Amino acid sequence: MKEIIAANLLRYRKSLGLSQEQLAEQASVTRQSINNYENAKTLPDSKILSALARVFGVTLDDLLRPPSGGLPNFRFRAHASFDKNPQFAAQVLRMLPTYNALEQAVGLPTYTPESTPCHQVEGNEKRIQAIAALFRHRLGLGDAPIANLFQSVEEIGLKVLRQPIPIKGFFGLSACSDIEGAFVLVNTHNITIERQLFTLAHEIGHLIFHRVEYQDTLVESETSSEEKAREQVADYFASHLLVPQAEFERMYALTQDIVKLKRHFRVSYLVILNRLAAMGIIDLAKEKAKICAIYKKQHNGESLQNSMELPPALAAAEYPENERYEFLIWQCLKLDKISAIKAAELLNLTVEKLWVRHQENEVYAVA
């Protein structure tokens, strides 16, 4: 146990850029004590461990978990590096068992989309489109635009969590288990709703097509040509899940206005541009430059950044976060499966605010 705690203390301290002196000061211990803990010479008591966990922004369980340990049964996929952010990896490893425990307590079944390997777009276009259509059918949709993909996939049991994760270039990850089902984490930190929706669709694509490449621990995906091809498959699936080809062609025959098309399908203008480019209708670079020039002229010289959306952007208020997850928490509280203190912790509320929310939720409840 000394060795596990020592390795974790060192990882978390270095990830925050703290010296032993700085950590000692924040945890109210001596620098020599920190040195002894990190070299597995002595074991911190529970009070000191709690203080260290608070400084690191992790839990006691995170400090006691083997650094290389993943989550039993789950396999992960993430196209970002977490070597310098072990706190985030620990956060993910807490999310999954919590979500699973809530599902089991309420008695809801898990869900994992059917796996069908596909590693490149070229030569598989029709097949990927057909699988996107089948998944839309699973959601109870035809070719109409999807009003809220988050809500639609949660209704069939896919575990989705949206959290602000301040990691540059990270949009989301997915995990799967034959026992506990599938899970998608979507980053909301300075990311538009359109990009969040595409990320969810993209990760569903990986869950369907690339299940065998998932790792047992939360690690960075490779950047080989094979990996780039897999990313293209997930992008192609996401595009056709959000924008069915037949409906796109029908709408394009009615209007060539990019804003009207993106508004109709509730997607980013970049999704529309990429589809038109794939169909050979436009030159992507030229059309994007044209749109950026128009935007700059209309917005007093402000540039349209890649992280921005061409107006009108989807409103975050129309896409409430983590509805299924919160529903499970309230159900568990109602069934006395969890305490009010635990429910408040999971909802990031005080116990007092929890009961206020509970009363508000009951106002219009059917008797």
Side-chain angles (χ1 to χ4, degrees):
M1 183 57 68
K2 285 183 183 179
E3 289 74 17
I4 291 174
I5 292 175
N8 283 328
L9 293 180
L10 187 61
R11 279 194 317 135
Y12 290 131
R13 177 175 66 79
K14 288 190 173 182
S15 73
L16 295 176
L18 296 175
S19 65
Q20 288 188 340
E21 290 83 356
Q22 290 170 322
L23 176 58
E25 182 179 352
Q26 293 186 39
S28 299
V29 296
T30 66
R31 187 208 65 79
Q32 187 58 47
S33 293
I34 297 296
N35 185 66
N36 288 339
Y37 302 151
E38 290 186 353
N39 285 287
K41 292 181 179 179
T42 58
L43 192 65
D45 61 30
S46 58
K47 184 178 178 180
I48 294 174
L49 270 178
S50 295
L52 290 167
R54 282 196 298 273
V55 173
F56 294 140
V58 299
T59 67
L60 283 174
D61 285 343
D62 296 330
L63 291 181
L64 300 176
R65 182 183 295 116
S68 59
L71 190 70
N73 299 316
F74 270 96
R75 294 170 67 81
F76 298 91
R77 181 183 177 85
H79 197 64
S81 177
F82 305 108
D83 291 342
K84 297 180 180 179
N85 200 325
Q87 284 87 345
F88 170 64
Q91 181 184 354
V92 173
L93 295 180
R94 289 196 302 273
M95 290 175 181
L96 284 165
T98 298
Y99 208 140
N100 290 331
L102 292 171
E103 281 182 330
Q104 291 172 13
V106 174
L108 288 183
T110 60
Y111 170 76
T112 304
E114 185 177 348
S115 175
T116 173
C118 179
H119 302 294
Q120 65 177 36
V121 173
E122 187 177 358
N124 292 302
E125 292 88 350
K126 293 298 182 182
R127 178 183 170 213
I128 298 171
Q129 289 182 37
I131 292 171
L134 283 173
F135 191 78
R136 288 177 68 91
H137 179 73
R138 177 70 178 83
L139 297 176
L141 305 170
D143 280 350
I146 304 175
N148 185 335
L149 184 62
F150 301 117
Q151 187 178 74
S152 294
V153 299
E154 286 183 326
E155 286 176 355
I156 64 172
L158 181 65
K159 289 183 275 288
V160 179
L161 281 178
R162 295 158 67 197
Q163 299 281 344
I165 311 293
I167 299 178
K168 186 177 180 181
F170 172 67
F171 295 103
L173 61 81
S174 51
C176 63
S177 165
D178 293 335
I179 301 172
E180 284 90 359
F183 168 85
V184 176
L185 173 66
V186 177
N187 191 5
T188 64
H189 182 69
N190 296 330
I191 296 174
T192 65
I193 295 295
E194 288 86 350
R195 176 70 234 206
Q196 292 178 43
L197 288 165
F198 191 86
T199 295
L200 174 57
H202 177 94
E203 291 301 330
I204 292 170
H206 281 312
L207 283 166
I208 292 172
F209 298 112
H210 307 132
R211 198 85 56 81
V212 295
E213 281 86 22
Y214 280 46
Q215 303 292 323
D216 292 322
T217 53
L218 189 61
V219 297
E220 180 181 11
S221 293
E222 33 181 325
T223 57
S224 64
S225 58
E226 291 83 3
E227 172 59 22
K228 290 177 181 177
R230 287 192 283 266
E231 288 294 298
Q232 290 170 359
V233 169
D235 281 347
Y236 192 87
F237 170 85
S239 176
H240 284 272
L241 175 62
L242 296 169
V243 185
Q245 186 65 25
E247 176 66 4
F248 184 67
E249 291 175 2
R250 185 187 75 81
M251 283 301 300
Y252 187 72
L254 297 175
T255 178
Q256 288 77 52
D257 188 307
I258 300 298
V259 170
K260 290 181 179 179
L261 289 170
K262 86 176 210 69
R263 184 190 296 143
H264 176 76
F265 289 106
R266 304 174 79 85
V267 297
S268 169
Y269 78 100
L270 291 172
V271 171
I272 301 298
L273 291 185
N274 277 288
R275 284 293 282 279
L276 292 172
M279 294 166 65
I281 295 174
I282 65 168
D283 180 293
L284 180 60
K286 289 182 179 178
E287 196 65 29
K288 187 176 177 183
K290 173 185 168 185
I291 288 173
C292 288
I294 294 172
Y295 181 92
K296 193 170 187 177
K297 184 177 180 180
Q298 292 179 342
H299 293 80
N300 301 316
E302 180 185 359
S303 297
L304 179 62
Q305 305 293 332
N306 287 334
S307 60
M308 299 165 60
E309 181 52 49
L310 188 68
L314 294 175
E318 296 182 24
Y319 296 84
E321 296 181 8
N322 308 325
E323 288 187 302
R324 183 176 187 268
Y325 180 70
E326 292 195 3
F327 167 78
L328 290 173
I329 295 171
W330 287 110
Q331 284 296 105
C332 285
L333 181 62
K334 183 179 180 179
L335 297 171
D336 291 325
K337 299 292 185 178
I338 58 174
S339 67
I341 293 175
K342 185 61 178 179
E345 176 192 331
L346 295 176
L347 292 168
N348 197 26
L349 299 171
T350 63
V351 174
E352 292 75 14
K353 287 185 178 179
L354 175 80
W355 291 120
V356 170
R357 282 273 301 275
H358 177 69
Q359 291 173 351
E360 291 173 347
N361 292 341
E362 292 295 315
V363 170
Y364 294 108
V366 176

